């Protein structure tokens, strides 16, 4: 039997979700680092636009983002538009030489739309969303799409010819918002039917015989909101991620149809959240969604004051740069003052700005300019507090702006040549999180300690994903918790090792296939041969250490956490065994020669200190230990190639104490001060200090360019002449 005929609405959802088209465009960006903030004339307590612009000019602000939050102001009633605030802002910014990114205001619906069409409010597993919060709509709803198209077209048509407008931000931190109403369920059913034309195939692949979950007729297909089957739930999560990709692609096509040639399209992706931006976003496939854009954008927030490490800045930047094959990106939101516990110490705002640029950001934009006087974000402060007067954070921004006015054209378009990559997967994330080990630690809790360990030893990394075809530019790939993966994925990683690469797999890798069905094979499945290990049992560690403290980290750090696999080597060398009266005969860490390369397997979750030592050893064996590694956190080094072809090294002091670091690179010049720094000379960095060292002896002559992606044969953007800026 085949599924029942879908309503037109659900059929449209399905067609959109199955779409894989990618649009490429050439967009123009000013040839400098843009520095700015989100600005809302609509929120101002009084008419102070002229005064705000004067303060922006004093701070050398070169870009603002407007309009993405103000649908109810732009369209007062259905089809009744008022662009007064937009026109005021565009006129004032253009007069001051400030460029403008216009946001489509579709993430916060107006009251009249919710009243006229209450079905636009998203239906989640726990019921219908109330009006009030943002992002409470169903992005697949036809009335929502109709209204969104009307406001997008009206806004873009109104602003596209204004000379201040350089591009558009689509929506805001877009997600599917757990949409799971009847029409979405019906569209998901059809989506599954495309993958599994035969119900027997579906029942077998997902193991639906369990607890009588078997589906014998498509007409009997239940809502997945109550599913206890990880395969079905993971497939629905993938479907919802595709809805986000479609929604952004739909907006991108619509904006491009009406925009002026040369204006770019971006989106401000956000990351998984754990008191700040933390890890891979579970509910959006950023790599697929970024393919719909001209340039990727991101919002990165991070701990502050004594908890500021820069790790979140580096992680978010490296991930966003990797979304479009090692291409520069736009930082569209980050904190100025932010929450009260984020209020920056003197020097931290400047340190943060250059840390973003050191990852490849071509903009630094704060959320936001002036802090709101009411509503939920009253205590999320911008560059100015509610009094809109100068303050230490604003004064520090003035210093950053003045420096970027001079250095922006040199620092823009930093190119990274990293040889280490993390392999990340939304499918693996969803599958792993369905069966979290002891301590409720999720996928990102495995990923981040490994990334942070490399960050602390100044080993920079990119991110690759299941769709990455060519891994050959890398020498080491770190694979955290690849719980759900196809045979082809694992074969690609193993082939990378066999050809001479180094791979480090962690526990819970290779365990299930792409449908989150546990492999009927010796574990760790297709990894077993390459890693030279097998296991049949696993457990949760309870005071289990590594025998003999092989990494010399001390008793407290020499511990297994959360999960441990009882590894038996077949061809692998045992690097470490468990210290335990019962489990002591099993391996904990192994290393296996595989073809021309090497595979390391870590069968447990290490402490942060252990993770650092294991990764240090692996990096050295991959031949990637270099001059950067003579410096360690809190001295952070981020390197790349400037657009003039010369190497540049950003040296950061992530501490409140002044330090002196020995320059491990060639003789060069600190671009911030103009002082020469000899090779091997001491480099003084004050508390939260920054040095930007242009290496005078090293020119980049390689023809290597950013990784190929779906549009790599033609540029995603070009630069206007610098004269386009004030």
């Amino acid at each position: 039997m085949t599924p029942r005929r879908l309503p037109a609405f659900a059929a449209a959802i399905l067609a959109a979700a199955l779409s894989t088209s990618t649009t490429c465009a050439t967009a123009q960006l000013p040839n400098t680092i843009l520095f700015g903030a989100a600005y809302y004339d609509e929120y101002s307590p009084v008419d102070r636009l002229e005064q705000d612009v004067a303060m922006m000019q004093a701070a050398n602000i070169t870009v603002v983002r407007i309009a993405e939050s103000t649908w109810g102001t732009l369209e007062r009633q259905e089809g009744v538009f008022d662009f007064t605030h937009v026109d005021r802002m565009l006129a004032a910014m253009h007069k001051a030489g400030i460029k403008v990114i216009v946001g489509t205001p579709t993430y916060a619906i107006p009251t009249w739309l919710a009243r006229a069409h209450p079905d636009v409010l998203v239906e989640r597993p726990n019921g219908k969303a109330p009006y009030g919060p943002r992002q409470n709509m169903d992005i697949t709803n036809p009335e929502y799409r109709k209204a969104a198209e009307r406001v997008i077209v009206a806004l873009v048509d109104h602003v596209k010819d204004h000379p201040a407008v350089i591009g558009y931000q689509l929506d805001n931190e877009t997600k599917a918002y757990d949409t799971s109403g009847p029409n979405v369920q019906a569209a998901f059913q059809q989506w599954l039917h495309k993958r599994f034309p035969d119900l027997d195939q579906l029942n077998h692949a997902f193991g639906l015989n369990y607890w009588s979950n078997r589906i014998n007729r498509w007409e009997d297909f239940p809502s997945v909101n109550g599913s206890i089957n990880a395969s079905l739930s993971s497939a629905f999560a993938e479907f919802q991620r595709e809805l986000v990709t479609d929604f952004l692609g739909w907006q991108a096509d619509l904006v491009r149809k009406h925009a002026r040639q040369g204006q770019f399209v971006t989106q401000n992706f956000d990351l998984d959240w754990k008191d700040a931006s933390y890890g891979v976003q579970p509910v959006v496939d950023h790599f697929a969604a970024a393919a719909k854009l001209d340039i990727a954008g991101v919002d990165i927030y991070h701990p502050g004051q004594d908890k500021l490490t820069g790790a979140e800045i580096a992680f978010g930047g490296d991930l966003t740069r990797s979304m479009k094959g090692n291409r520069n990106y736009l930082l569209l939101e980050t904190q100025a003052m932010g929450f009260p516990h984020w209020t920056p110490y003197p020097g931290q705002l400047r340190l943060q700005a250059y840390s973003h640029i050191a990852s490849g950001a071509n903009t630094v934009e704060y959320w936001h300019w002036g802090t709101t006087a009411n509503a939920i974000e009253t205590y999320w402060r911008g560059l100015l507090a509610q009094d809109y007067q100068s303050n230490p954070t604003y004064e520090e921004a003035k210093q950053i702006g003045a420096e970027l006015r001079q250095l922006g054209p040199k620092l823009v378009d930093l190119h990274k040549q990293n040889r280490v990559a993390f392999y990340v997967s939304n499918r693996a994330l969803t599958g792993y999180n369905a069966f979290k080990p002891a301590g409720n630690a999720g996928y990102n809790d495995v990923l981040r300690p490994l990334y942070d360990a490399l960050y602390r030893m100044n080993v920079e990394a990119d991110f690759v994903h299941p769709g990455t075809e060519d891994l050959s530019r890398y020498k080491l790939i770190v694979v955290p918790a690849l719980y759900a993966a196809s045979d082809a994925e694992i074969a690609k990683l193993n082939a990378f090792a066999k050809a001479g690469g180094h791979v480090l797999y962690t526990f819970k890798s290779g365990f299930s296939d792409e449908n989150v069905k546990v492999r009927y094979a010796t574990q760790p499945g297709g990894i077993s041969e390459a890693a030279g290990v097998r296991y049949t049992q696993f457990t949760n560690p309870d005071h289990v250490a590594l025998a003999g403290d092989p990494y010399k980290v001390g008793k407290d750090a020499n511990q297994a956490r959360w999960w441990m696999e009882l590894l038996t080597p077949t061809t692998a060398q045992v690097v470490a065994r468990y210290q335990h009266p019962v489990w002591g005969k099993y391996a904990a860490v192994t290393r296996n020669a595989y073809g021309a390369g090497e595979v390391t397997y870590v069968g447990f979750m290490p402490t942060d200190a252990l993770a650092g030592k294991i990764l240090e050893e692996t990096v050295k064996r991959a031949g990637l230990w270099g001059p950067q590694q003579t410096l360690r956190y809190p001295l952070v080094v981020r390197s790349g190639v400037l657009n003039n072809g010369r190497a540049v090294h950003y040296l950061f002091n992530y501490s409140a104490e002044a330090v002196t670091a020995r320059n491990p690179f060639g003789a060069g010049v600190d671009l911030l001060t103009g002082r020469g720094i000899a090779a091997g000379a001491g480099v003084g960095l004050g508390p939260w200090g920054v040095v930007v060292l242009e290496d005078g002896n090293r020119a980049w002559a390689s023809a290597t360019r950013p990784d190929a992606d779906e549009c790599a044969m033609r540029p995603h953007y070009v630069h206007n002449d610098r004269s386009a800026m004030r």
Side-chain angles (χ1 to χ4, degrees):
M1 291 185 178
T2 58
R4 61 189 180 278
R5 183 178 179 87
L6 281 178
F9 161 40
I13 297 175
L14 174 66
L18 292 174
S19 172
T20 58
S21 63
T22 296
T23 302
C24 305
T26 299
Q28 295 178 341
L29 284 170
N31 187 29
T32 189
I33 300 290
L34 294 173
F35 183 59
Y39 184 71
Y40 310 102
D41 183 49
E42 301 90 339
Y43 298 174
S44 295
V46 296
D47 183 358
R48 51 170 291 121
L49 179 59
E50 183 176 337
Q51 184 179 349
D52 282 335
V53 171
M55 293 183 73
M56 289 179 185
Q57 287 183 295
N60 283 282
I61 294 292
T62 54
V63 67
V64 295
R65 184 191 71 185
I66 68 170
E68 92 288 349
S69 298
T70 57
W71 189 349
T73 307
L74 292 172
E75 189 176 8
R76 304 299 178 93
Q77 292 297 328
E78 182 175 344
V80 179
F81 295 100
D82 183 345
F83 296 109
T84 302
H85 289 287
V86 170
D87 291 341
R88 280 167 46 83
M89 288 185 284
L90 290 179
M93 299 304 166
H94 181 55
K95 183 178 179 181
I98 297 172
K99 300 302 180 183
V100 178
I101 298 171
V102 177
T104 62
T106 49
Y107 85 113
I109 65 173
T111 52
W112 59 260
L113 179 58
R115 180 196 59 78
H117 301 286
D119 58 330
V120 304
L121 295 171
V122 65
E123 184 172 339
R124 299 173 174 137
N126 62 352
K128 187 76 96 174
Y131 186 82
R134 66 180 187 176
Q135 299 170 318
N136 57 353
M137 69 286 182
D138 181 353
I139 61 172
T140 71
N141 181 275
E143 292 297 337
Y144 168 74
R145 287 284 186 108
K146 179 181 176 182
E149 179 172 354
R150 184 174 58 246
V151 72
I152 291 170
V153 170
L155 177 61
V156 175
D157 280 348
H158 188 80
V159 304
K160 66 179 181 180
D161 293 322
H162 198 286
V165 177
I166 58 172
Y168 303 90
Q169 176 188 296
L170 308 178
D171 201 68
N172 182 81
E173 298 180 350
T174 309
K175 304 173 187 68
Y177 316 122
D178 295 323
T179 183
S180 57
N183 283 317
V184 173
Q185 298 287 344
F188 171 61
Q189 176 186 339
Q190 287 279 16
W191 182 84
L192 271 183
H193 187 252
K194 293 286 186 181
R195 290 180 58 187
F196 299 98
D198 186 339
L199 266 174
D200 286 339
Q201 294 176 330
L202 174 65
N203 284 306
H204 176 73
F206 286 12
L208 293 175
N209 286 339
Y210 183 77
W211 279 4
S212 292
N213 277 202
R214 181 179 182 86
I215 302 166
N216 294 306
R217 300 187 312 160
W218 286 105
E219 290 84 352
D220 298 334
F221 203 102
S223 166
V224 299
N225 285 341
S227 174
I228 50 82
N229 182 283
S231 299
L232 196 58
S233 298
S234 294
F236 188 57
E238 182 175 345
F239 173 74
Q240 289 175 310
R241 289 193 293 269
E242 289 189 17
L243 294 180
V244 177
T245 300
D246 159 68
F247 178 71
L248 291 175
W250 170 77
Q251 281 215 19
D253 290 344
L254 187 61
V255 169
R256 288 191 184 104
K257 183 178 178 181
H258 291 266
R260 186 179 75 241
Q261 186 175 6
Q263 293 172 331
F264 63 81
V265 173
T266 189
Q267 215 270 332
N268 60 328
F269 295 122
D270 67 338
L271 307 178
D272 192 22
W273 188 267
K274 189 176 181 180
D275 300 322
S277 302
Y278 186 68
V280 174
Q281 177 58 256
V283 296
V284 181
D285 183 341
H286 280 156
F287 294 94
K292 306 294 185 181
L293 310 173
D294 299 320
I295 183 169
V298 70
D299 297 348
I300 300 174
Y301 295 96
H302 49 80
Q305 300 179 7
D306 295 331
K307 295 181 180 179
L308 177 65
T309 67
E312 288 76 18
I313 295 174
F315 177 91
D318 289 342
L319 180 61
T320 311
R321 189 186 64 250
S322 300
M323 287 177 194
K324 292 187 74 67
N326 202 28
R327 296 181 184 275
N328 301 90
Y329 60 94
L330 306 180
L331 176 69
L332 293 164
E333 289 186 26
T334 192
Q335 67 219 56
M337 289 187 283
F339 288 132
H341 57 284
W342 287 351
T343 304
Y345 294 155
Q348 287 188 336
L349 194 76
R350 181 170 177 261
L351 172 64
Q352 292 157 197
Y354 284 103
S355 295
H356 289 294
I357 295 167
S359 287
N362 276 354
T363 67
V364 176
E365 285 192 78
Y366 299 110
W367 199 88
H368 43 145
W369 171 254
T371 311
T372 58
N374 59 294
I376 196 170
E377 291 175 323
T378 296
Y379 285 93
W380 192 309
R381 293 161 302 152
L383 278 169
L384 305 182
Q386 279 93 348
D387 62 1
Y388 280 72
Q389 301 301 309
S390 178
N391 61 68
T393 300
Y394 167 76
E395 292 299 323
E396 193 166 318
K398 290 171 67 174
Q399 179 187 0
I400 301 166
E403 291 171 348
L404 291 181
R405 179 168 185 168
Q406 297 300 315
L407 294 178
K410 175 169 283 217
L411 300 182
V412 73
D413 287 346
L414 178 73
H415 179 62
K416 312 288 279 189
Q417 298 174 301
N418 297 332
R419 306 302 301 279
V420 179
F422 281 86
Y423 186 95
V424 294
S425 162
N426 280 107
R427 282 183 178 177
L429 184 157
T430 304
Y432 179 96
N433 286 356
F435 301 102
K436 291 179 182 178
N440 201 37
Y443 177 90
N444 283 318
D445 296 309
V446 180
L447 167 61
R448 273 299 302 275
L450 302 179
Y451 177 90
D452 290 2
L454 290 183
Y455 171 78
R456 289 193 298 271
M457 65 182 77
N458 291 315
V459 175
E460 297 192 63
D462 296 339
F463 288 83
V464 294
H465 61 104
T468 305
E469 295 295 333
D470 184 12
L471 302 175
S472 62
R473 68 174 293 171
Y474 301 106
K475 294 187 70 174
L476 169 62
I477 296 179
V478 181
V479 188
L482 189 62
Y483 185 80
S486 67
D487 292 342
E489 282 183 69
I490 293 173
K492 180 169 58 178
L493 288 165
N494 291 343
F496 166 80
K498 200 167 192 176
H502 289 244
V503 178
L504 185 148
Y505 289 104
T506 78
F507 67 103
K508 278 185 172 279
S509 290
F511 194 71
S512 75
D513 65 14
E514 67 272 28
N515 295 317
V516 200
K517 185 175 184 179
V518 177
R519 283 187 162 86
Y520 180 61
T522 299
Q523 292 296 354
I527 295 170
S528 186
E529 179 185 349
V533 298
R534 63 178 178 85
Y535 68 88
T536 60
Q537 291 184 299
F538 43 76
T539 187
N540 301 124
D542 185 9
H543 297 96
V544 177
L546 298 187
D549 190 7
Y551 293 100
K552 309 304 178 189
V553 294
K555 180 180 178 180
D556 291 342
N558 184 40
Q559 299 290 322
R561 296 188 289 173
W562 309 344
W563 191 260
M564 55 185 286
E565 295 162 353
L566 308 180
L567 304 177
T568 299
T570 53
T571 58
Q573 170 193 352
V574 177
V575 179
R577 292 189 184 274
Y578 297 115
Q579 181 175 303
H580 189 272
V582 176
W583 312 132
K585 66 179 180 179
Y586 293 106
V589 182
T590 62
R591 183 184 303 127
N592 191 51
Y594 187 63
E598 189 171 88
V599 176
T600 300
Y601 192 91
V602 181
F604 67 100
M605 183 63 201
T607 62
D608 291 354
L610 263 179
K613 292 294 185 180
I614 293 169
L615 282 165
E616 178 179 330
E617 184 177 67
T618 305
V619 169
K620 287 178 177 177
R621 294 185 66 85
L624 297 173
W625 206 253
Q628 288 94 331
Q629 284 67 58
T630 62
L631 303 176
R632 289 294 184 97
Y633 182 84
L635 289 171
V636 173
V637 182
R638 307 280 286 172
S639 298
V641 178
L642 295 171
N643 57 43
N644 64 7
R646 292 201 173 277
V648 66
H649 309 287
Y650 289 82
L651 279 63
F652 302 125
N653 176 20
Y654 268 91
S655 78
E657 303 295 328
V659 297
T660 298
R662 192 161 299 281
N663 175 20
F665 307 106
V669 175
D670 176 12
L671 297 177
L672 295 173
T673 63
R675 76 179 189 272
I677 300 175
V683 182
L685 292 103
W688 315 108
V690 180
V691 167
V692 182
L693 178 66
E694 181 180 15
D695 195 325
N697 298 321
R698 295 178 60 198
W700 182 52
S702 171
T704 302
R705 294 310 300 159
D707 288 348
D709 64 7
E710 67 285 341
C711 305
M713 298 310 294
R714 45 191 169 135
H716 284 218
Y717 56 87
V718 296
H719 286 297
N720 289 324
D721 185 82
R722 187 185 175 191
S723 62
M725 298 300 296
R726 62 185 177 91

